[in-house]
Amino acid sequence: MGIVVQKYGGTSVGNPERIKRVAKRIIECRKAGNMVVAVVSALGDTTDKLIELAKQITDSPPEREMDMLLSTGEQVSIALLAMAIKSMGWDVISLTGAQVGILTNNVHTKAKIIEVSCERLKKELNEGKIVIVAGFQGVTCDNEITTLGRGGSDTTAVAVAAALKADVCEIYTDVDGVYTTDPRMIPEARKLDVITYDEMLEMASLGAGVLQPRAVEFAKLNNVVLHVRSSFNYNEGTIVKGEKEVSDSGIHREKEMVVTGVAYDLNTARIGLFDVPDKPGIAKKIFTALAEKNINVDMIIQGATRNGRTDISFTVAEDDADKALEVMKEIVEEIGISGVSCDKDVAKVSIVGAGMITNPGVAAAMFQALADENINVQMISTSEIKVSCIINKKDTEKAVKSIHKKFNLEGN
Ligand code: ADP
Ligand code: ASP
Ligand code: MG
């Protein structure tokens, strides 16, 4: 018997009808002779609604209590899905993250998985049961409930697949696979047959919400091959793995492509620091203060020096912007900065592709596509396989469309 781990996202289990359909799909896999573990997300937009509810109580809910609240979403869906499977005559059990033994660190609301214990999972599977696991949640060694950050059920699925050495990890979602860009924004986007971990990691980190970046990291680390596909049909999806091979379908076209995809991230904010003393130790103070509050900093730009002073700007997730601003205000006087600003009206657009390393002029082509639409570039950052630009939020769709076209990514 093989072990199959499947993950069903929120839309896939959005209502009772869909839960029953997912139950049938899981049973089909069990009937085919596999041991099945299904990881599920909260129903539809439950998590968004719970966050909204908390905001109606207080502007700054304690993160521990946020985890208590958010983890309830997935507990509802595992119970309902298990009931559906049981009613169809199959032996099944639902388990929370804590019951499985998904051990995390204690960074509430964005905890990282340290270890997944296989004992309970294996015991239930060996008894012939289908196992339904709550995604997105874990437990610390002090028995505190944690959540893994938005989209965290993907990471639960990959971590469970790695721990069980599963044969397949299937990520069922509401689109047919990974596309050259968000198919909901750009209908001309093309589905990719195969994408490497490195490219997928960049795409996901740069905003392609189809997979949580941490899930891809985990998959790469443990060599878990992912199959991202739709729960609404039986089409082949996208395989995420280490290397593309010549035998992979579509590879010839993909090999010729310098750019694999275009990603955008609306959850971005730009913090500006004015008149910063240009001397050793200042950058350390600023970014240590942010790190101590678990705020991830993305792009950093330091301007030219005038009279021993300079400007620094950096980007953080928009969700973290208020917290980052507070941290900066606390150190303004100590460091001697004359002002701090925060602009939430920005977005990041990026191109990703392993072929970029060896092709000059890729960044220039991206800037051309933006210039063609009269879009101003506020910040730029590059790596071997990506170029990112910060632009005005309202220009995002125009920018993605123009760049996607410029690199001939459309159509199947
Ligand atoms: P789930 O609830 O199944 O986890 P998500 O909403 O988290 O689903 O992720 C799927 C969504 O990701 C799609 O509906 C699509 O709008 C978005 N998306 C963004 N970029 C891409 C991309 N490059 N390929 C496919 N989907 C993408
Ligand atoms: N329910 C969580 C979220 O909406 C986790 C997930 O769906 O992966 O972010
Ligand atoms: Mg998701």
Side-chain angles (χ1 to χ4, degrees):
M1 253 190 174
I3 302 180
V4 177
V5 174
Q6 301 186 329
K7 178 256 166 176
Y8 292 92
T11 317
S12 303
V13 290
N15 58 42
E17 230 31 70
R18 289 184 179 174
I19 292 174
K20 287 182 201 167
R21 239 197 14 228
V22 164
K24 284 189 191 136
R25 195 153 190 158
I26 293 170
I27 290 168
E28 278 165 25
C29 185
R30 179 75 183 80
K31 272 187 186 163
N34 300 297
M35 292 182 170
V36 189
V37 178
V39 174
V40 258
S41 297
L43 270 60
D45 58 359
T46 300
T47 309
D48 293 328
K49 284 196 177 135
L50 291 172
I51 292 172
E52 206 35 59
L53 205 56
K55 279 194 189 145
Q56 288 178 33
I57 301 287
T58 162
D59 283 340
S60 49
E63 285 172 340
R64 177 190 183 274
E65 303 310 330
M66 274 314 274
D67 279 350
M68 291 300 269
L69 179 69
L70 298 188
S71 58
T72 61
E74 270 68 13
Q75 202 168 331
V76 171
S77 45
I78 54 168
L80 293 175
L81 183 56
M83 287 175 199
I85 292 173
K86 190 76 189 164
S87 73
M88 293 171 192
W90 290 80
D91 212 3
V92 59
I93 185 164
S94 67
L95 298 172
T96 64
Q99 284 175 314
V100 170
I102 298 178
L103 190 68
T104 74
N105 65 12
N106 59 5
V107 183
H108 283 291
T109 75
K110 41 185 166 187
K112 287 193 169 159
I113 295 178
I114 298 167
E115 199 182 87
V116 176
S117 151
C118 290
E119 273 168 43
R120 181 78 190 266
L121 286 172
K122 282 197 172 146
K123 175 183 161 284
E124 305 295 353
L125 288 172
N126 287 332
E127 285 174 12
K129 288 182 197 142
I130 293 169
V131 183
I132 311 295
V133 173
F136 179 54
Q137 55 176 259
V139 66
T140 68
C141 53
D142 300 325
N143 254 326
E144 293 287 347
I145 290 177
T146 51
T147 61
L148 309 176
R150 299 306 307 268
S153 300
D154 297 332
T155 304
T156 306
V158 179
V160 165
L164 287 173
K165 298 196 171 34
D167 298 272
V168 200
C169 182
E170 296 176 323
I171 308 286
Y172 285 94
T173 183
D174 56 6
V175 288
D176 277 10
V178 179
Y179 283 71
T180 48
T181 193
D182 186 350
R184 298 206 185 276
M185 180 189 266
I186 311 289
E188 297 82 16
R190 190 168 58 82
K191 192 184 83 192
L192 300 165
D193 295 313
V194 185
I195 186 167
T196 63
Y197 293 128
D198 289 335
E199 288 172 321
M200 190 64 239
L201 189 55
E202 286 288 353
M203 288 280 281
S205 309
L206 294 168
V210 63
L211 284 175
Q212 199 196 36
R214 183 91 181 120
V216 186
E217 234 169 58
F218 228 102
K220 181 180 175 184
L221 212 65
N222 295 283
N223 231 338
V224 177
V225 174
L226 307 179
H227 186 182
V228 181
R229 59 193 309 194
S230 171
S231 68
F232 295 87
N233 60 48
Y234 284 82
N235 298 345
E236 283 295 305
T238 303
I239 301 291
V240 187
K241 61 181 189 175
E243 285 290 329
K244 294 177 194 170
E245 289 144 33
V246 183
S247 56
D248 287 329
S249 66
I251 188 74
H252 296 299
R253 178 165 178 185
E254 278 162 27
K255 267 241 152 98
E256 287 161 15
M257 284 166 35
V258 178
V259 170
T260 306
V262 184
Y264 66 91
D265 193 351
L266 302 177
N267 183 14
T268 301
R270 173 182 169 151
I271 308 279
L273 307 175
F274 309 108
D275 267 337
V276 183
D278 193 12
K279 57 182 192 201
I282 295 291
K284 179 208 144 242
K285 272 201 180 131
I286 295 169
F287 295 106
T288 305
L290 292 161
E292 277 169 357
K293 298 278 181 204
N294 282 308
I295 299 170
N296 285 329
V297 173
D298 183 17
M299 293 186 196
I300 303 174
I301 285 186
Q302 179 167 334
T305 308
R306 284 166 272 103
N307 308 324
R309 301 185 87 82
T310 184
D311 293 337
I312 293 180
S313 38
F314 57 88
T315 61
V316 294
E318 192 177 334
D319 301 338
D320 282 339
D322 293 337
K323 208 158 93 178
L325 200 58
E326 241 171 68
V327 174
M328 288 303 101
K329 284 183 177 158
E330 278 166 18
I331 59 169
V332 159
E333 275 187 25
E334 184 194 335
I335 298 184
I337 301 171
S338 72
V340 186
S341 71
C342 173
D343 184 0
K344 295 182 181 173
D345 232 3
V346 294
K348 181 167 66 175
V349 287
S350 310
I351 50 174
V352 172
M356 262 183 229
I357 309 172
T358 48
N359 281 280
V362 178
M366 179 182 185
F367 303 146
Q368 179 67 58
L370 292 170
D372 289 346
E373 293 295 331
N374 210 13
I375 295 169
N376 189 38
V377 178
Q378 301 178 20
M379 290 170 100
I380 300 167
S381 95
T382 63
S383 80
E384 285 184 330
I385 67 166
K386 69 127 205 237
V387 182
S388 298
C389 296
I390 295 292
I391 58 167
N392 202 312
K393 207 170 238 161
K394 72 171 174 30
D395 291 329
T396 310
E397 187 165 343
K398 231 168 30 174
V400 174
K401 200 171 199 150
S402 178
I403 297 166
H404 193 259
K405 194 155 188 226
K406 184 91 189 164
F407 289 102
N408 295 319
L409 295 172
E410 297 134 315
N412 265 313

